[in-house]
């Protein structure tokens, strides 16, 4: 995988960076993307793949590029001044858990966040390392197993 700076725009203290991202696979498949990084946020502007990606693969794309983008941005502020090894450069994901154990942790994190008045989806994201979409799918599966009440149930 390669991550190359495309260009940067500064407005006062705020900097927005565009980065070219390329994933090349051994079988000749390739994914090219343009990502924008600003104030700790990453937005994928354009993705081109040969052969075309299935939607499931596109959902995994964010996981594939997260680490290299964090390292390319250095200190996590988008300034590009760090080398990626410094404090806050990239938070490692928890070891993945699957099945009932994972859904039990999801239910626990979700309820604890609700009790604190925090966003339960963000708590699940933090606990599992999944993206927002992945966390929402996992919360749905946890509800389906009866470990969390239905979204429409009154408290």
């Amino acid at each position: 995988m390669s991550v190359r700076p495309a260009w940067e725009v500064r407005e006062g203290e705020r900097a927005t960076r565009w980065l070219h991202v390329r994933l090349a696979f051994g079988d000749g498949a390739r994914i090219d993307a343009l990502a924008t990084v600003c104030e700790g946020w990453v937005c994928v502007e354009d993705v081109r793949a040969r052969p075309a990606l299935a939607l499931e693969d596109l959902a995994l794309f964010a996981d594939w590029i997260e680490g290299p983008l964090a390292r390319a941005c250095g200190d996590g502020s988008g300034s590009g001044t760090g080398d990626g090894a410094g404090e806050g450069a990239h938070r490692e994901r928890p070891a993945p858990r699957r099945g009932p154990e994972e859904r039990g942790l999801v239910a626990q994190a979700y309820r604890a966040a609700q009790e604190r008045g925090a966003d339960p989806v963000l708590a699940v994201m933090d606990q599992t390392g999944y993206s927002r979409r992945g966390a929402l799918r996992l919360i749905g599966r946890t509800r389906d197993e009866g470990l969390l009440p239905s979204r429409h149930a009154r408290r």
Side-chain angles (χ1 to χ4, degrees), residues 16-96:
T16 302
R17 297 175 64 198
W18 282 264
L19 303 163
H20 290 289
V21 179
R22 174 172 282 173
L23 285 94
F25 299 91
D27 63 357
R30 187 173 90 195
I31 303 171
D32 292 303
L34 180 65
T36 305
V37 180
C38 181
E39 296 180 350
W41 291 91
V42 175
C43 178
V44 177
E45 300 284 337
D46 185 39
V47 176
R48 295 173 191 239
R50 288 193 186 114
L53 289 174
L55 286 177
E56 295 82 23
D57 294 332
L58 188 57
L60 292 172
F61 180 68
D63 292 334
W64 294 339
I65 67 172
E66 179 183 24
L69 280 176
R71 286 187 292 278
C73 294
D75 59 2
S77 68
S79 65
T81 58
D83 63 356
E87 184 178 333
H90 180 65
R91 181 176 53 89
E92 289 297 319
R93 289 183 175 211

Side-chain angles (χ1 to χ4, degrees), residues 7 21 31 33 51 56 60 64 70 83 90 94 117 119 132 139 142-144 146 149 152:
W7 64 89
V21 179
I31 303 171
E56 295 82 23
L60 292 172
W64 294 339
D83 63 356
H90 180 65
D119 183 347
R132 184 168 190 81
I139 290 167
T142 304
R143 281 194 174 107
D144 290 346
H152 306 292

